[in-house]
Amino acid sequence: MKEVKIFSPGTVANVGCGFDVLGFCLDAIGDEMIIRKTPNKGVHITKIEGGYDLPFNVNENVAGVSALALYQDAQPDFGFEIEIYKNIKPGSGIGSSAASAAGSVFGINYLLGNPYANQELTTFAMKGEAIASKSEHADNIAPALFGGFTLVKSNQPLEVLQIPTPKELYAVIAHQKIEIKTSEARSILPKDILLSDAIVQWSNLGSLIHALHTNDYALIGRSLKDVVVEPHRSKLIPNYKALKNSALDANALGTSISGSGPSVFSLCKGESVALQVKNAQKQLLKSTQIPFEIYVSKINTQGIRILTQ
Ligand code: HSE
């Protein structure tokens, strides 16, 4: 096999109460990538489409850095070319860099005959993610590779747990097209938090995980609360409160910041509620000057998928 074309999905990190550990995978938005074997050794990025100013230098591109991490470990006697067709805007909060980082290692692993498991691929892809956000967090990469909901139990050594996805769960992503750099959204967070806030947060994270295991949609809603990060980062997101209120009024289970923003995600029971939430948020954002896109997506339980080979 010489080449593979893949769909590398967007992801929602944090999921409200699970800062840096919880994430889920989207279906409605993602990048496409082609990974090709070449007789010459090394890894090269040969095409980047989508209109974004991203580096071709493999040492500066997230897809390149993660690919090199795997390549140096595998040491094959041939090389790889990577083409990236970007649909996820960088700095959107829906895992743009993770889609590139996870996609390149997934594609190369596939062409090598799948010697690495998802856990190892996550470790390679984290090297790429680190150059984009200046921190090695796996809460976007893991759901892109494993699909569904994932919990990063530990970074060192990496341990990723797969959490079940209730069947009727849909996500709505309201993306106002301004850019928030993850590194900047991390730099405004306090180094210490109050014990009283920590108690609320870990009770919500525990109950959210329980709710996902037991298909308890109402409990998902009651658990989607973030008293640690949202109070700080919501200030960076225009119309945040209004977007959240309009989603909750339209029967969303819960709403919070997607990754480091500016996208805002809502979880809903059923597609018709998700479409209601989309319409309510659309009405709201139409009255602002900010360009926006709203996606309705099923939770993608497969993760990255092969389009053609
Ligand atoms: N957990 C990371 C953060 C995700 O919130 O900074 C960034 O997409």
Side-chain angles (χ1 to χ4, degrees), residues 13-14 19-20 137 139-140 182 186 233 259-260:
N14 301 337
F19 180 68
D20 269 3
H137 54 90
D139 52 342
N140 289 107
T182 297
R186 294 180 83 81
R233 285 186 172 172
S260 52

Side-chain angles (χ1 to χ4, degrees), residues 14 21 62 64 72 92 135 149 160 163 170 193 200 224 238 251 264:
N14 301 337
V21 296
V62 292
Q72 278 154 10
S92 57
S135 81
F149 282 80
V160 175
I163 312 294
Y170 277 76
I193 63 169
V200 174
L224 267 183
N251 290 329
V264 171

Side-chain angles (χ1 to χ4, degrees), residues 40-94:
N40 297 336
K41 281 191 172 189
V43 176
H44 300 278
I45 296 171
T46 51
K47 202 182 266 186
I48 304 177
E49 286 189 1
Y52 306 111
D53 184 22
L54 296 168
F56 277 83
N57 182 334
V58 275
N59 295 301
E60 292 170 12
N61 183 299
V62 292
V65 170
S66 54
L68 278 180
L70 185 158
Y71 187 79
Q72 278 154 10
D73 192 79
Q75 301 203 346
D77 56 7
F78 45 86
F80 293 97
E81 276 175 12
I82 302 172
E83 296 181 4
I84 306 169
Y85 300 85
K86 269 216 106 46
N87 294 313
I88 315 174
K89 185 178 179 294
S92 57
I94 38 179

